[in-house]
Structures are given as structure tokens and as C-alpha cells.
Amino acid sequence: MIFSKNDNHACVIICACFPAILDPFSPMSSSTRPAMSGKTTTVFIDSIPVGGDAPVVVQSMTNTDTADIEATVQQVTELARAGSELVRITVNSAEAATAVPRIREKLDAQNCATPLIGDFHFNGHKLLQDYPECAQALAKYRINPGNVGKGKKRDEQFASMIERACEYDKAVRIGVNWGSMDQQLVARLMDENGRRSNPKEPAEIMLEAMVTSAIESAQQAEGFGLAHDKIILSCKMSGVQDLIKVYQTLANRCNYALHLGLTEAGMGTKGIVASTAALSILLQQGIGDTIRISLTPEPGGDRTQEVVVAQEILQSLELRAFTPSVVSCPGCGRTSSTYFQQLAQDIQTYLREQMPQWRTRYAGVETMSVAVMGCVVNGPGESKHANIGISLPGTGEKPVAPVYVDGIKTVTLKGDHIAEEFQAIVENYVEENYS
């Protein structure tokens, strides 16, 4: 699928010989989101709508010690700059709770308004009660029903957290996790299953327990006074097929806004592929209002990778546009060097790095496309389909690189500074065509 200049979109294509492979950053609008059988309820996280007709929201999570204020502020800023619209931070100690309002102040001083979500386990009821400035500084609380408490304490401590959310008018994500299920609920469902004439397999009961825990906890929160439009649900699994089944069931049984994520997805390619496989199926079915990609970073790796992957999933499904697209083929024997690969990489990196400034100055630039082609077979043709395209010489071809702007050949580049000259053409195009 290639967009011409008449589609009012911009596109970057990078190809060596084979037909162009559509990059995850292909042009689209949020209006193409598949329709669910029923809309979810819209929940506002500060000024950001989640659910209903709102675009799917990208969120991420820091891995710093929240008590380390400077490190946490830096990482939140990096994640926000990469495009994370919500950022979750761990609140697990008195030191972390004390740091939260100071983190919020420092972010505001840097004009970083990205809402902060507090991630609570085990002692959240105590921290929210003892540190009201923390409770007020957070935009949303994340509560895991399996880690709230046991027996009577469970209900009391859950109620305490919900009361704080009501007091400060905060949204709550009730997040059930496969690895930390409410064992009392599991035992109850297992007992009920055992009394059936035709009992289900234990694995089915575990999936049912996930959905039941989320919905019953949400209903309990409403019973404690939390409004329906203050609740987001999640049921995170580590298996792709299990995640799909759980969310399909959840979406059929309620209209709460839903947060999607494959928990403990893994590292590198494995984590990216697994998350993409699971979330793409659900999003295509219209299920999911906000997403997070739970990647294990490579040693010394960039935490913002999870944001980029989330954006690429949404952009490849034509649900949202975040940055101009760069499309490239894998190369073949006709390409005489790796120059086209380097130029493609450089242009793609350049475009993403510019987006924090461009998105505030150039409306619609995220739908732009640029073509970087590696030989004459598809080079000129594909370049003409992009807003800006360059066809680099392949093996045995004349050492020149024609450039096309909106389908028209405008200049032919040659020499040692093709990359710099082409980047300048891209910059000029953005300034002249977006406002």
C-alpha cells in the first residue's frame, strides 16, 4: 500500500531493489480505528482522555528508584520526549512517596506535563493515607487486587485506597496480573468448578479468575464510591494466546476502559514480536484504549524503546500517526554498497529526533513520508509516490541520485555530501508545507 501525493499524506520510502516494504510509520488517521460492539467509558487522566472515541494512548514505566528524584525526573522526561503520554512510577516506600510531589514539581518546572501514575503493591493503602501530597500529585493509581491484602484486610485496605482516589478525584487502574492472582478468588472458582457435572480444565478457570477478579474489584470500587468513569481495567498475561482470550472475554462483559499489555514480554526481538502479535490482534478487533510494551531493556539499553514499539504498533495498524514514515526494502545484489541503508537509518533517526519540536510547530508533519531508494529498478517509481524521495545508484549505475518532491524530479545530487543535501531538502519541505 503506497500513498501518492494526492492522498494528502507524506511518506519516506527506502528501497534497494525489491518492491518497497511498508514501514510501521505509514500514513493514517485515527478515524480508521475498528469499532467495538460497544464503546468503552471515557476516563480522563488529567486532561488526557482514555476510552470512548479517544485515540489509543501510549504509556510507559520508569525503572529508576523513585526515591532518586533526579534520575526519575530525567527518565520521565526522556519517556515523555519519546512520546509517552502517561508514565507510571513505582511507589513502594515512604521515601518514594515523599519524592513523588517533588518529582511532579520538577517536571512542571521543565514544562513536562505528562501525568504520573503511581504503581502500588502491598502497602499502597498506607502510603496513600500517610502521604497525602503524594496521593494528590499522582494523576492515577494502579492497584493490583492480588496484592492488596488477604481476608478482611483485603477489603479494608482496598477500600482505603479507593477512598483516597475519591477524595482527590483520581482515576484508578485495577490491574490483575497472572503472576500475582488473588488466591482466595482462585480457590473459590476452583471449588465451584469441582462441583460441576462437566468441570472445565484448570487453565480455563485461571483465565476466568483473571476476568472475574478485574470486574468484581471494579464493582467493589464503585460500591466504595468511585465513579464508573474513573476506572480502567487490565488483565495482563505473559502468553499471547492467553492474553487475547482474556481481553476478548473482558471486552464482552464490561464497558470499562481497557489497558493492554503483555506482561513480562521479554527482551529484544522476542519481547517486541510477542507484544506486537498479541496487541495487534486485539487492537484490530477494537479492543484496548491504552497500551504499554513491557520490554526488558538490553544491558545499558534505552528505556524509550518501549515507547517507540508502542507507537509503531499503532502506526502500522493505521490507528495513529506519530512520526514521518521511512519505508525500506531488504536490499539485493543490485545494491552496490550499504550507503542506502546508512542514509535510511540516518534519515529515520533524524525524523524521530525532530518530532518533539516539529509536533508543536508543524501540524500534520507526522504523516509525512520520505523515500530513500537503493537502485534504479524501483527507485524513481517509488520516490514519486512519496512526498520526498531519493533514488541512489546501484551496481553499475551512474553515480547520481535524483530527488523527487511530490512526484516531480527537482534536483540530481552527486558527490560526497548527498546525505547532508538530502536532509536539507527534507527540512525545507517541512518548513514550506506544514504550519
Side-chain angles (χ1 to χ4, degrees), residues 277-324:
L279 270 59
S280 294
I281 290 172
L282 292 168
L283 289 166
Q284 185 62 25
Q285 294 173 353
I287 298 172
D289 301 296
T290 175
I291 66 172
R292 187 221 167 178
I293 308 302
S294 300
L295 295 180
T296 303
E298 302 283 351
D302 191 342
R303 188 69 170 180
T304 61
Q305 184 186 24
E306 67 178 57
V307 179
V308 174
V309 174
Q311 290 179 332
E312 288 183 346
I313 290 173
L314 294 175
Q315 195 147 340
S316 66
L317 290 172
E318 301 186 2
L319 299 180
R320 294 188 65 181
F322 296 96
T323 192

Side-chain angles (χ1 to χ4, degrees), residues 48 56 111 137 183 194 267-269 271 368:
I48 297 177
V56 179
N111 294 318
Q183 293 306 308
M267 181 180 289
T269 303
M368 185 178 72

Side-chain angles (χ1 to χ4, degrees), residues 48-326:
I48 297 177
V50 175
D53 291 322
V56 179
V57 174
V58 173
Q59 65 176 272
S60 59
M61 184 174 184
T62 60
N63 62 356
T64 58
D65 179 354
T66 305
D68 186 338
I69 296 173
E70 295 303 326
T72 303
V73 168
Q74 180 178 341
Q75 193 170 92
V76 171
T77 303
E78 291 170 352
L79 291 167
R81 181 180 173 83
S84 184
E85 293 155 305
L86 303 172
V87 177
R88 183 157 49 112
I89 60 177
T90 298
V91 187
N92 61 339
S93 66
E95 293 77 13
T98 301
V100 169
R102 295 172 63 189
I103 291 169
R104 180 71 271 166
E105 289 172 4
K106 285 182 174 290
L107 290 170
D108 291 341
Q110 296 180 25
N111 294 318
C112 178
T114 303
L116 297 178
I117 302 166
D119 190 64
F120 294 98
H121 296 276
F122 308 111
N123 60 351
H125 61 288
K126 182 173 178 57
L127 295 175
L128 285 171
Q129 180 174 320
D130 292 350
Y131 299 91
E133 291 184 353
C134 168
Q136 197 161 12
L138 295 168
K140 184 176 77 170
Y141 310 153
R142 190 272 190 169
I143 304 174
N144 183 342
N147 290 337
V148 172
K150 296 180 180 180
K152 291 183 178 180
K153 284 189 175 182
R154 190 270 183 196
D155 291 344
E156 293 173 0
Q157 292 170 180
F158 184 66
S160 175
M161 299 179 77
I162 297 302
E163 287 168 5
R164 298 291 81 72
C166 294
E167 179 181 357
Y168 297 109
D169 194 30
K170 305 297 182 182
V172 173
R173 171 158 72 94
I174 296 174
V176 183
N177 262 38
W178 176 254
S180 53
M181 278 293 300
D182 182 342
Q183 293 306 308
Q184 290 179 308
L185 173 62
V186 174
R188 187 191 91 197
L189 294 179
M190 287 292 186
D191 288 343
E192 292 174 359
N193 185 56
R195 292 192 292 270
R196 291 174 177 165
S197 58
N198 186 22
K200 298 179 180 180
E201 292 294 323
E204 292 183 73
I205 300 303
M206 289 300 293
L207 296 181
E208 175 64 25
M210 294 283 291
V211 175
T212 300
S213 177
I215 293 178
E216 287 188 356
S217 295
Q219 292 171 341
Q220 188 177 30
E222 289 194 64
F224 291 141
L226 189 64
H228 191 84
D229 64 0
K230 289 291 184 179
I231 299 173
I232 296 175
L233 298 186
S234 68
C235 287
K236 288 194 170 183
M237 314 287 288
S238 57
V240 171
Q241 295 295 345
D242 288 337
L243 189 83
I244 293 169
K245 290 176 185 176
V246 162
Y247 272 95
Q248 288 172 336
T249 303
L250 193 60
N252 284 329
R253 293 191 188 177
C254 71
N255 70 343
Y256 293 107
L258 299 179
H259 168 77
L260 298 187
L262 188 73
T263 190
E264 297 146 5
M267 181 180 289
T269 303
K270 185 267 180 188
I272 293 172
V273 171
S275 293
T276 302
L279 270 59
S280 294
I281 290 172
L282 292 168
L283 289 166
Q284 185 62 25
Q285 294 173 353
I287 298 172
D289 301 296
T290 175
I291 66 172
R292 187 221 167 178
I293 308 302
S294 300
L295 295 180
T296 303
E298 302 283 351
D302 191 342
R303 188 69 170 180
T304 61
Q305 184 186 24
E306 67 178 57
V307 179
V308 174
V309 174
Q311 290 179 332
E312 288 183 346
I313 290 173
L314 294 175
Q315 195 147 340
S316 66
L317 290 172
E318 301 186 2
L319 299 180
R320 294 188 65 181
F322 296 96
T323 192
S325 63
V326 178

Side-chain angles (χ1 to χ4, degrees), residues 372-427:
V372 182
M373 311 298 291
C375 79
V376 73
V377 173
N378 291 313
E382 298 288 4
S383 294
K384 291 176 183 178
H385 284 297
N387 292 103
I388 312 167
I390 184 170
S391 180
L392 296 167
T395 303
E397 296 177 18
K398 189 175 180 180
V400 296
V403 175
Y404 298 80
V405 176
D406 289 333
I408 300 173
K409 181 179 175 182
T410 59
V411 67
T412 298
L413 304 180
K414 63 180 87 173
D416 298 327
H417 301 288
I418 290 177
E420 294 87 344
E421 293 173 7
F422 183 65
Q423 181 173 304
I425 292 172
V426 173
E427 291 175 352

